[in-house]
Amino acid sequence: MAAARRQLARSVAARRRVAAEARGGRAGGRGSRARARLPQPRRRGARGLPRPAPARGLPRARRRLGVVGRRRSGRPARPRAARAREGLPHARRALVLPRRRRRGRLRVRRAGGRAGRGGVAARRAGRDGRAGTRRRAPLARRTRADAGGGRVNRPASVGIVGCGVISDHYVENSAAFDSFEMTACADIDAAAARKLAAKHGLEATTVDELVADPAIDVVLNLTPPAVHAPVTRQALAAGKHVYSEKPLATTTADAADLLAGADRLGLRIGCAPDTFLGGPYQSALALLEEGAIGVPLSVSAAMLVTGADAWHPSPELFFADGAGPMLDMGPYYLTAIVALVGPVRRAAGFASTRAAERAIATGPRAGTRFAVTTPTHVFAALELEGGVTASLVTSFDAVDRYVCDLEIHGTEGTLALPDPNAFEGPLRIRLGRGDWQDAPFGSRGQADARGLGLHDLVEAIAEDRPHRASGRLALHVVDVARSVLRAADERRVIEIESRVEQPQPLPVRPGTTVPRA
Ligand SMILES: NC(=O)c1ccc[n+]([C@@H]2O[C@H](COP(=O)([O-])OP(=O)(O)OC[C@H]3O[C@@H](n4cnc5c(N)ncnc54)[C@H](O)[C@@H]3O)[C@@H](O)[C@H]2O)c1
């Protein structure tokens, strides 16, 4: 008990220190030097997001769980303005999208047997040779001063670069979102682009054509991690907003450079994972905010799997520098930890590699051996803002197992989160020495799926507010993952240089809540 009280006091003191720093009360020291090197969250001029109403049903759920609705005593509420600073509030040009309309089915262009044959050039020239398709009117772009909130009149046009395994999921999930539609796709492998285009009625193009197409508003970067940075950079240079799969880049320097570039150009970068925006995690956030488990003291997380050599037809990218379990799967856990509990201040790590070579188990290249050039088992010890500690094990060395544990321990209870690589439950809570109970959580149905972060990005652009699955959050995650690997290599503790605010909550709207446990 005495130890817990000491921890609590330390935590409170640290949070006050952080709050004072956020108000500009302390300058100098290591942190401020670091902030000068990497892009930092904007401190001025951010337009605060109105805090959404808590999801209906949660207070009832807490009463049922015996959790009383009080704010935990030791944790001052984060100022709304401070939380809203995350993201890119200073976009010089805001994309103004026409009013949304509901759609009941996937609204992508029907292939009509002509995908990939001069479509972009034809559209630019005002010709669209395919039956049943209309030429898109040019998007209205306004200056920031002109941009008002909520003028969303029509879906944004999204072009996919990288037509591999995950691209199919993104296109299928897009049916659930009325803020954007997938219209074109490109790949260095033209056959892959044609295949995706034909399946979903997209326009297959080259990468250069796609990023140059004035009808494309957002480039969805679904290439392998090693080319995330160059593809994002090319799209930014062409004036496109970008939503990238994780990790944002394979090095902290590249991730920071992309953010700086987007800032310079007044463009936005969003980045996966967006699972933390799903119903279970947002309900967990609401429980934490209301003090359901008291003051958070620690996080314990573990992700142990067999490795992509067992299921992916081209698994080499998962075992190359810039991926591995910490950079490939770690972002799910690190993003969840940062979003729910807070950013990371210091990192230590240990790493190992079980086998220097692996063999592809599936697909046309089954049996092919390849070299492993990154650690495949990584343990991270993290200190979060406010003194909360977190342990995270990520491993591709667990044969025939899938472990995905994430628990947050507080002064009064423990919250067990579902797999942060999914949008589903269960979400469980244990108070004191009581039994584990399922906590109800809201769901957006089909819209609780990959693409939710892209949807929020498009809505945020239209509403001129920060987006949640932001490039800045992704930069912090890359910084932490890279620092863990460096800490393991150099056998030391590393101070994390990047800074980020926790994203605003994205509660499930009352009325759409479907309690599941
Ligand atoms: N596969 C999954 O289950 C999964 C899940 C979540 C996230 N992701 C992430 O999605 C991204 C893609 O993964 P994937 O499994 O779809 O990979 P994949 O290898 O199946 O597909 C990648 C595609 O990108 C193309 N490509 C490579 N370099 C390119 C370039 N310079 N320009 C254009 N296209 C290029 C390849 O030809 C390939 O078709 C990765 O960042 C991965 O971490 C994958």
Side-chain angles (χ1 to χ4, degrees):
M1 252 339 260
R5 269 199 296 276
R6 273 199 304 280
Q7 171 67 47
L8 180 58
R10 270 202 304 276
S11 175
V12 171
R15 281 175 196 286
R16 286 197 181 126
R17 203 171 57 242
V18 168
E21 278 185 39
R23 289 193 302 270
R26 205 184 83 171
R30 220 172 189 154
S32 59
R33 272 204 309 278
R35 277 190 289 277
R37 284 197 291 275
L38 286 173
Q40 302 300 324
R42 305 269 183 170
R43 296 280 169 197
R44 288 163 191 272
R47 187 177 296 184
L49 266 182
R51 197 184 181 87
R56 196 192 293 156
L58 276 170
R60 251 200 329 273
R62 282 198 315 280
R63 272 201 301 280
R64 221 175 29 252
L65 292 164
V67 181
V68 272
R70 58 180 160 44
R71 179 163 285 283
R72 48 186 178 268
S73 53
R75 187 182 176 189
R78 269 172 291 151
R80 285 177 204 183
R83 297 190 58 162
R85 281 181 197 123
E86 180 269 338
L88 291 167
H90 285 298
R92 281 203 299 274
R93 283 182 312 167
L95 178 64
V96 178
L97 301 165
R99 185 185 304 281
R100 285 184 287 164
R101 58 190 159 92
R102 294 227 69 82
R103 56 180 179 167
R105 62 187 175 80
L106 184 64
R107 284 187 299 122
V108 291
R109 290 159 185 234
R110 288 289 129 224
R114 288 206 26 155
R117 273 179 269 156
V120 171
R123 263 198 293 151
R124 272 198 215 122
R127 288 175 278 113
D128 191 329
R130 287 164 298 159
T133 58
R134 278 184 296 117
R135 183 181 176 237
R136 298 179 67 83
L139 274 166
R141 288 179 189 272
R142 298 188 179 199
T143 63
R144 180 180 166 80
D146 292 331
R151 286 200 297 269
V152 181
N153 296 320
R154 44 171 264 191
S157 175
V158 175
I160 298 172
V161 177
C163 304
V165 172
I166 202 64
S167 62
D168 214 31
H169 297 273
Y170 270 95
V171 184
E172 274 167 14
N173 293 349
S174 70
F177 302 103
D178 51 15
S179 56
F180 65 87
E181 64 180 356
M182 307 292 192
T183 55
C185 62
D187 197 296
I188 41 162
D189 175 359
R194 278 199 301 274
K195 190 174 166 201
L196 188 74
K199 183 172 178 191
H200 297 289
L202 309 181
E203 191 161 359
T205 73
T206 66
V207 176
D208 288 349
E209 278 181 321
L210 188 143
V211 298
D213 184 354
I216 299 290
D217 306 304
V218 182
V219 168
L220 175 58
N221 184 353
L222 304 181
T223 57
V227 289
H228 282 177
V231 168
T232 295
R233 203 169 278 125
Q234 183 183 356
L236 291 173
K240 308 297 185 207
H241 303 286
V242 178
Y243 188 85
S244 173
E245 250 304 334
K246 49 76 192 166
L248 176 59
T250 56
T251 66
T252 311
D254 257 344
D257 180 63
L258 293 177
L259 257 289
D263 270 347
R264 249 191 336 270
L265 295 163
L267 295 166
R268 306 262 194 141
I269 297 179
C271 190
D274 50 3
T275 40
F276 75 95
L277 298 174
Y281 273 78
Q282 289 299 309
S283 298
L285 184 60
L287 287 170
L288 288 168
E289 287 284 310
E290 287 157 19
I293 60 164
V295 179
L297 299 173
S298 65
V299 180
S300 52
M303 189 293 309
L304 298 102
V305 291
T306 300
D309 47 337
W311 57 270
H312 200 291
S314 308
E316 291 95 329
L317 69 93
F318 295 94
F319 297 91
D321 181 51
M326 184 49 78
L327 271 155
D328 178 57
M329 293 298 282
Y332 291 109
Y333 293 79
L334 294 171
T335 303
I337 290 168
V338 174
L340 293 184
V341 188
V344 180
R345 287 280 162 265
R346 300 200 304 155
F350 299 89
S352 62
T353 307
R354 180 176 59 83
E357 217 182 56
R358 298 221 183 192
I360 303 174
T362 186
R365 295 166 58 233
T368 307
R369 300 192 71 77
F370 62 91
V372 174
T373 56
T374 191
T376 49
H377 185 97
V378 184
F379 169 76
L382 309 171
E383 184 183 63
L384 311 185
E385 203 168 72
V388 177
T389 59
S391 66
L392 170 62
V393 182
T394 61
S395 181
F396 285 164
D397 291 343
V399 177
D400 285 337
R401 267 183 296 156
Y402 185 70
V403 176
C404 53
D405 294 334
L406 179 49
E407 289 188 352
I408 301 172
H409 309 278
T411 50
E412 293 172 39
T414 301
L415 207 51
L417 285 302
D419 183 352
N421 184 17
F423 283 85
E424 291 165 3
L427 174 64
R428 294 183 304 141
I429 190 166
R430 183 179 186 224
L431 297 176
R433 302 174 71 179
D435 293 332
W436 281 103
Q437 298 176 61
D438 282 331
F441 58 84
S443 167
R444 301 175 188 84
Q446 300 295 309
D448 258 357
R450 281 197 171 88
L452 183 54
L454 172 58
H455 164 75
D456 182 59
L457 169 74
V458 170
E459 298 271 85
I461 293 168
E463 293 165 12
D464 196 20
R465 55 146 173 98
H467 53 291
R468 295 170 173 87
S470 70
R472 205 165 301 280
L473 176 57
L475 159 62
H476 184 64
V477 163
V478 171
D479 190 10
V480 173
R482 270 294 179 192
S483 297
V484 167
L485 292 171
R486 191 150 58 92
D489 202 35
E490 298 174 7
R491 299 171 177 231
R492 66 188 183 92
V493 174
I494 290 183
E495 305 280 335
I496 303 300
E497 295 188 352
S498 57
R499 295 285 181 272
V500 70
E501 300 286 343
Q502 284 174 264
Q504 286 279 322
L506 182 65
V508 180
R509 281 198 196 98
T512 57
T513 303
V514 184
R516 295 181 300 184

